[in-house]
C-alpha cells in the first residue's frame, strides 16, 4: 500500500468521524471534495510526467538494443573481412550498448510500475470522489428537508396560516362565511315579514278608520236631526 493510499484512508476515516458530529455535513463534504479534486489534479499531472518519462526511457532502451544488434552485425562483417581490430571495436561498442540498454530497461520498468501505481491511485481517488459526491447529494437533500421543516415549525410558532391542521383554516373561513350569510338571510326575512305586517296593519287600519268615520257620520246626522235638520 502506497503512502498516498494510507493518507487517503485516514482522510476518509476522519471524514466519517466528523460527519457524525457536523452541524452542516454538506459544507464539510464540500471541503473534502475540493481537497480530493485538487489531489486528483496533482496526481493527473504527476501521471503525465511519469508516463512521459517512461516513454522516453523506453525509447532510449530500444535504441540501445538496436545499436547493440547493429554493432554485433558489424563485428561479424569485420571478422569475415579479416579485420579483427575493427571487429573488437564493434564488440566493445556492443557491450557498451548492451549495458546502456540494461540500465534504460530497468529505469523504464520502474517508471512503468510507477505508472501502474498512479493509475490505480487515480482510479481509487476518482471512485472515492464520486462516492463522497453521491453522499453529498443525499446529505444536501436531508439538509433541505430539515431547513423546510424548520421554516414550517417557525410558522407554527408564530401562529401563522399554517397554525391549524390542513383543511381547518379553509373550513373555518367557510364556516364564518356561512354564519354571516345566515345572519343576512335572517335579517332579510325579518324585514320582509315586517313589511308584510305593516301592509296588513295599514289595510286593517283603513277599514277601522272607515268604520269609525261612518259611526261619527251617523252621530252627526242624529244630532242635526234633533236640531231640526232634515237630510236631503
Amino acid at each position: 500500500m502506497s503512502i498516498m493510499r494510507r493518507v487517503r484512508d485516514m482522510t476518509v476515516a476522519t471524514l466519517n468521524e466528523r460527519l457524525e458530529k457536523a452541524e452542516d455535513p454538506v459544507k464539510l463534504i464540500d471541503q473534502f471534495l475540493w481537497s480530493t479534486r485538487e489531489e486528483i489534479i496533482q496526481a493527473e499531472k504527476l501521471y503525465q510526467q511519469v508516463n512521459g518519462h517512461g516513454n522516453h526511457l523506453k525509447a532510449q532502451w530500444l535504441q540501445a538494443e538496436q545499436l547493440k544488434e547493429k554493432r554485433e552485425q558489424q563485428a561479424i562483417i569485420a571478422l569475415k573481412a579479416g579485420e579483427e581490430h575493427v571487429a573488437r571495436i564493434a564488440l566493445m561498442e556492443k557491450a557498451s550498448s548492451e549495458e546502456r540498454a540494461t540500465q534504460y530497461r530497468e529505469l523504464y520498468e520502474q517508471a512503468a510500475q510507477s505508472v501502474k501505481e498512479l493509475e490505480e491511485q487515480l482510479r481509487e481517488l476518482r471512485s472515492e470522489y464520486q462516492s463522497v459526491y453521491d453522499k453529498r447529494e443525499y446529505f444536501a437533500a436531508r439538509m433541505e428537508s430539515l431547513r423546510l421543516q424548520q421554516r414550517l415549525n417557525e410558522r407554527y410558532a408564530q401562529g401563522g396560516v399554517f397554525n391549524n391542521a390542513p383543511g381547518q383554516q379553509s373550513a373555518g373561513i367557510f364556516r364564518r362565511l356561512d354564519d354571516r350569510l345566515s345572519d343576512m338571510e335572517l335579517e332579510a326575512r325579518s324585514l320582509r315579514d315586517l313589511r308584510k305586517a305593516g301592509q296588513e296593519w295599514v289595510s286593517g287600519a283603513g277599514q277601522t278608520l272607515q268604520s269609525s268615520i261612518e259611526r261619527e257620520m251617523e252621530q252627526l246626522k242624529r244630532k242635526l236631526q234633533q236640531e231640526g235638520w232634515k237630510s236631503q
Side-chain angles (χ1 to χ4, degrees):
M1 181 179 290
S2 66
I3 295 177
M4 182 181 294
R5 174 64 186 276
R6 287 198 295 270
V7 171
R8 296 305 305 164
D9 286 345
M10 287 189 292
T11 303
V12 173
T14 302
L15 173 66
N16 290 332
E17 292 175 0
R18 294 177 65 184
L19 279 177
E20 297 178 357
K21 304 175 183 179
E23 295 183 1
D24 189 349
V26 176
K27 183 177 180 180
L28 179 61
I29 291 174
D30 284 342
Q31 293 174 352
F32 178 83
L33 288 175
W34 181 86
S35 175
T36 304
R37 180 57 184 163
E38 287 297 312
E39 189 168 354
I40 290 174
I41 293 174
Q42 295 302 320
E44 288 175 340
K45 290 180 179 179
L46 180 59
Y47 172 82
Q48 294 296 331
Q49 293 173 354
V50 173
N51 191 50
H53 180 61
N55 291 334
H56 172 72
L57 293 173
K58 184 177 181 180
Q60 293 293 323
W61 164 40
L62 295 178
Q63 183 179 356
E65 287 285 348
Q66 292 174 356
L67 184 59
K68 180 190 72 171
E69 294 177 358
K70 181 178 180 180
R71 291 292 183 261
E72 183 177 351
Q73 292 296 324
Q74 288 175 342
I76 294 173
I77 294 172
L79 281 174
K80 289 180 178 180
E83 298 181 4
E84 295 184 1
H85 177 69
V86 175
R88 288 189 181 92
I89 294 175
L91 289 176
M92 290 178 60
E93 291 182 357
K94 174 194 171 185
S96 177
S97 297
E98 185 174 6
E99 181 181 4
R100 189 165 61 252
T102 300
Q103 293 172 342
Y104 277 113
R105 185 184 70 249
E106 291 175 353
L107 290 176
Y108 167 73
E109 289 174 351
Q110 293 175 8
Q113 183 61 33
S114 297
V115 168
K116 289 182 179 179
E117 290 181 2
L118 282 170
E119 287 176 346
E120 178 64 17
Q121 291 168 2
L122 276 170
R123 186 192 65 79
E124 292 178 357
L125 282 172
R126 290 164 180 158
S127 176
E128 181 180 283
Y129 182 91
Q130 186 61 46
S131 176
V132 175
Y133 179 82
D134 293 340
K135 184 179 293 185
R136 187 256 184 210
E137 294 298 290
Y138 167 71
F139 277 106
R142 287 185 61 183
M143 288 295 294
E144 180 65 11
S145 296
L146 177 60
R147 185 183 67 83
L148 293 175
Q149 184 62 49
Q150 289 173 341
R151 289 183 59 187
L152 181 62
N153 292 341
E154 291 175 359
R155 296 300 299 269
Y156 272 109
Q158 296 171 2
V161 175
F162 298 104
N163 197 32
N164 296 318
Q168 291 184 359
Q169 186 71 17
S170 60
I173 293 174
F174 284 113
R175 186 165 50 250
R176 290 193 296 272
L177 179 59
D178 183 68
D179 293 341
R180 181 180 177 187
L181 290 176
S182 296
D183 292 341
M184 294 174 66
E185 290 171 350
L186 179 60
E187 182 180 354
R189 285 197 298 270
S190 298
L191 290 174
R192 182 189 61 193
D193 294 342
L194 180 60
R195 286 195 297 270
K196 182 177 180 182
Q199 292 174 355
E200 292 176 351
W201 180 83
V202 171
S203 178
Q207 293 176 359
T208 302
L209 180 59
Q210 186 176 358
S211 298
S212 176
I213 290 174
E214 290 297 330
R215 286 194 300 271
E216 189 172 354
M217 285 289 292
E218 290 298 328
Q219 291 176 0
L220 287 174
K221 286 180 181 180
R222 286 194 298 271
K223 182 178 180 181
L224 290 173
Q225 286 175 357
Q226 291 175 358
E227 294 176 354
W229 176 81
K230 293 182 180 180
S231 62
Q232 299 297 325

